Amino acid sequence: MQTMLKKYGLLVWLSLILIAGFVSTTVASFIVSRDAIQQGISEQTLPITGDNVYSEIQKDILRPVFVSSQMAHDTFLRDWIINGEEDKDLIAKYLKEIKLKNHAISSFLVSEQSHQYYTADGVLKAVSETEPRDQWFFRIRNQKADYETNVDADMANRDTMTIFINYRIVDYSGKFIGATGIGMTLDTMKTLIDSYQARFRRNIFFVDQKGNIALAGNNMKKIRSNLSNMPGISGLAQQILGNRKSESQHLEYKTDNETILVNSRFIPELGWHLLVEQETSNEIKPLQNVFLINIGVSAGITILVLIILLVTVRRYQKRLEKSASTDTLTNLLNRQAFDFVFQQALLDGERSRQPMCVVLLDIDFFKKINDKQGHLVGDHVLKEISLIAKRSLRESDIICRWGGEEFLILLKNCTLEKATSIAENLRNTIANNDFSRTTDLTRTRLSITVSMGVAECRDKDTEDSVFERADQALYQAKENGRNSVYFSE
């Protein structure tokens, strides 16, 4: 975290400044808009469409359907019925857990095999085809749909009016073996509607297919009327009740002082119509548009500036990091970067107990090349040797430019014998290469030789100690005629 802050400290500060400016602009715009709305109209909230409200209500109504579906497909429940319904306490415990976990008023299971009606408290009764209140079970047994939603009195809860989700249970061959589900009281639904109304500041209620108010919040508690008898909306009753599609209807009616927008939608799961009433005025729309435009412009500019800053800073950081760790002529690691890599390699070698060697490479008579053919040719030789070394070494090996004409190679997981062989192969490749083939600076054959010293890292070795032994081996190679590889024991 501290490293990230150091690398992108400037960007963090600039981002904070931009965000502070964006927040300040947004808050200021909100305060101005809020004050204007408070002065201009009695309502204090922005308009919201009936579709948004429907999405919220649909989510809460369909959640019991999802829970009931999980119960019907639960292998434990199906196996318990198929295996003869032996442990009745076990199914009661299961239904109780479902009920408590989902805050339901009721959870139930009715078996086709025994016709027993199970609840969280145990066996409630045996269902019968002659009992009117049990007809729902025999109806769902014969229907093709996976489930139904109906409103009925719950015998397990003092005949409280409850919205039941009745879900078919089938065995592994598709045969009907029972029905299960959960129930949610109308009072629970009223609480949900009250929460929506407090949140959206809109009138929300349901009417059945005859136009009677079936469910409403506490603000409409005293209204027990039919749409056709309610002032204003009565003119829309026929149009609302005639809709049997779940698509939204956008209607409106007028009162003495206000235009009321009505969003109507048929909910087939309940067989009810959802109505959302929304007050509005012409003064809200300009304020809303200005507020939204201000937010959009501010957010867009802030995001754009942050993206530009991020790209610019990252490029600048990468350029600095590359220039700080890379030799500009050969594009190899420089000495400072190699020191860090080598220290990390020493630690890794101590943990893994794998051998590691270093090779110090020096170009023979490099000063004569610069003096006789010029520094451009000398630079070409350095770049060519770095390319040859990259091609000759393994992917895990690391090479850096150690000094003017010196290169240092780190060979991981490599014994002294193998390292000497790799160094000899590289020496031979360089000696057989015609350096004039890849440049126009010289037209005669240009042959270069190198001398190399190899040393293996020992336990408790430091960077200085292992490099000193490699340097001693290199000195022996130079003393014994150059163009050779020597190693230090």
Side-chain angles (χ1 to χ4, degrees):
M1 180 61 72
Q2 292 180 350
T3 303
M4 291 294 293
L5 288 175
K6 289 181 180 179
K7 289 179 65 176
Y8 298 105
L10 176 61
L11 180 61
V12 170
W13 279 109
L14 289 174
S15 299
L16 290 174
I17 293 171
L18 285 171
I19 292 172
F22 168 72
V23 171
S24 299
T25 303
T26 303
V27 170
S29 299
F30 173 76
I31 292 174
V32 171
S33 300
R34 183 193 62 187
D35 292 343
I37 291 174
Q38 288 176 340
Q39 294 173 7
I41 59 174
S42 59
E43 294 292 330
Q44 299 182 12
T45 58
L46 296 174
I48 186 167
T49 65
D51 289 341
N52 298 124
V53 180
Y54 169 73
S55 298
E56 294 287 337
I57 292 177
Q58 186 188 47
K59 178 182 66 177
D60 289 311
I61 289 178
L62 294 186
R63 186 173 180 276
V65 177
F66 175 74
V67 173
S68 299
S69 174
Q70 286 186 312
M71 294 171 66
H73 292 89
D74 194 332
T75 55
F76 160 77
L77 190 147
R78 289 192 288 180
D79 289 341
W80 185 83
I81 296 175
I82 294 170
N83 293 331
E85 309 170 31
E86 294 181 355
D87 191 345
K88 294 179 173 54
D89 291 335
L90 194 62
I91 199 64
K93 182 178 179 181
Y94 171 86
L95 293 173
K96 185 175 182 180
E97 181 70 16
I98 292 291
K99 175 182 174 181
L100 294 176
K101 184 176 181 180
N102 295 281
H103 306 288
I105 189 65
S106 174
S107 59
F108 62 91
L109 165 67
V110 180
S111 168
E112 167 67 3
Q113 178 177 309
S114 65
H115 284 188
Q116 293 292 309
Y117 190 123
Y118 299 97
T119 69
D121 297 321
V123 178
L124 177 66
K125 57 176 286 188
V127 297
S128 171
E129 291 190 39
T130 60
E131 172 60 49
R133 300 183 67 170
D134 297 336
Q135 290 306 305
W136 67 269
F137 175 77
F138 302 98
R139 181 176 65 250
I140 196 171
R141 178 180 66 180
N142 298 322
Q143 74 178 26
K144 294 182 179 180
D146 291 333
Y147 73 95
E148 68 170 12
T149 303
N150 72 308
V151 179
D152 202 353
D154 186 2
M155 289 182 293
N157 290 283
R158 301 178 182 178
D159 284 344
T160 303
M161 292 304 294
T162 304
I163 299 176
F164 285 102
I165 308 299
N166 304 321
Y167 217 107
R168 288 168 50 88
I169 309 172
V170 296
D171 63 14
Y172 300 104
S173 62
K175 179 183 176 183
F176 178 80
I177 58 174
T180 190
I182 63 174
M184 186 167 57
T185 64
L186 291 183
D187 287 337
T188 302
M189 287 300 299
K190 288 179 181 179
T191 302
L192 287 174
I193 291 175
D194 285 336
S195 69
Y196 298 147
Q197 291 183 149
R199 180 177 173 186
F200 299 117
R201 297 181 185 271
R202 299 293 178 262
N203 287 333
I204 303 170
F205 58 100
F206 293 86
V207 297
D208 61 21
Q209 298 182 31
K210 295 180 180 180
N212 297 315
I213 294 181
L215 188 61
N218 290 326
N219 68 320
M220 299 181 68
K221 190 173 183 180
K222 297 181 180 180
I223 300 176
R224 293 290 183 270
S225 183
N226 189 283
L227 280 183
S228 60
N229 299 325
M230 296 174 62
I233 199 171
S234 59
L236 304 175
Q238 186 174 357
Q239 191 173 354
I240 292 171
L241 299 176
N243 179 35
R244 286 294 184 271
K245 297 180 180 179
S246 60
E247 298 173 357
S248 178
Q249 279 186 314
H250 299 282
L251 309 170
E252 67 175 69
Y253 66 89
K254 295 184 181 295
T255 62
D256 294 337
N257 301 316
E258 187 62 38
T259 297
I260 308 296
L261 302 180
V262 180
N263 187 274
S264 172
R265 185 190 297 267
F266 181 69
I267 302 180
E269 292 89 350
L270 296 175
W272 292 347
H273 295 267
L274 166 65
L275 300 181
V276 179
E277 290 185 343
Q278 172 181 324
E279 296 182 0
T280 186
S281 69
N282 293 330
E283 291 146 300
I284 294 179
K285 293 181 181 178
L287 294 173
Q288 179 189 12
N289 293 337
V290 170
F291 184 62
L292 293 177
I293 290 172
N294 184 43
I295 290 178
V297 172
S298 299
I301 292 175
T302 301
I303 292 172
L304 180 61
V305 172
L306 287 177
I307 291 174
I308 294 173
L309 281 173
L310 178 62
V311 172
T312 303
V313 170
R314 289 189 67 181
R315 286 181 178 177
Y316 183 71
Q317 290 279 7
K318 287 181 179 180
R319 192 177 302 169
L320 286 178
E321 290 172 359
K322 184 176 181 181
S323 64
S325 62
T326 305
D327 175 63
T328 55
L329 179 64
T330 61
N331 281 326
L332 298 176
L333 292 178
N334 59 26
R335 188 164 183 166
Q336 290 79 9
F338 188 85
D339 286 343
F340 175 81
V341 172
F342 184 77
Q343 291 295 338
Q344 188 62 44
L346 281 177
L347 295 175
D348 293 340
E350 289 179 3
R351 286 194 294 266
S352 63
R353 311 301 298 174
Q354 292 179 343
M356 184 172 65
C357 294
V358 295
V359 179
L360 193 58
L361 180 153
D362 184 86
I363 302 175
D364 297 332
F365 307 110
F366 183 73
K367 187 175 183 302
K368 291 183 179 180
I369 298 173
N370 281 333
D371 293 341
K372 290 184 178 181
Q373 304 198 44
H375 287 279
L376 292 179
V377 174
D379 290 346
H380 167 70
V381 170
L382 290 170
K383 290 189 286 186
E384 191 72 5
I385 286 179
S386 69
L387 293 174
I388 293 172
K390 285 182 180 179
R391 291 194 298 266
S392 302
L393 297 174
R394 304 170 302 176
E395 288 185 3
S396 60
D397 300 333
I398 301 171
I399 180 172
C400 84
R401 187 179 178 190
W402 191 246
E405 68 271 20
E406 288 185 330
F407 297 84
L408 187 62
I409 303 169
L410 177 63
L411 304 175
K412 297 180 179 180
N413 191 21
C414 187
T415 62
L416 182 62
E417 180 180 359
K418 186 175 181 181
T420 304
S421 175
I422 292 174
E424 179 60 28
N425 179 64
L426 176 59
R427 182 206 62 76
N428 186 60
T429 302
I430 293 173
N432 293 327
N433 183 66
D434 181 8
F435 285 77
S436 65
R437 290 184 307 168
T438 53
T439 181
D440 295 327
L441 298 173
T442 178
R443 298 189 180 277
T444 59
R445 178 180 176 86
L446 179 60
S447 298
I448 303 295
T449 62
V450 296
S451 301
M452 287 186 271
V454 184
E456 183 176 7
C457 297
R458 303 169 181 167
D459 290 339
K460 307 301 180 181
D461 241 341
T462 65
E463 181 179 355
D464 291 337
S465 62
V466 68
F467 289 169
E468 183 179 356
R469 285 187 279 108
D471 190 60
Q472 290 173 355
L474 176 62
Y475 179 79
Q476 288 182 314
K478 289 182 178 181
E479 284 293 303
N480 289 281
R482 303 179 187 270
N483 191 24
S484 59
V485 177
Y486 276 70
F487 61 87
S488 175
E489 291 289 344

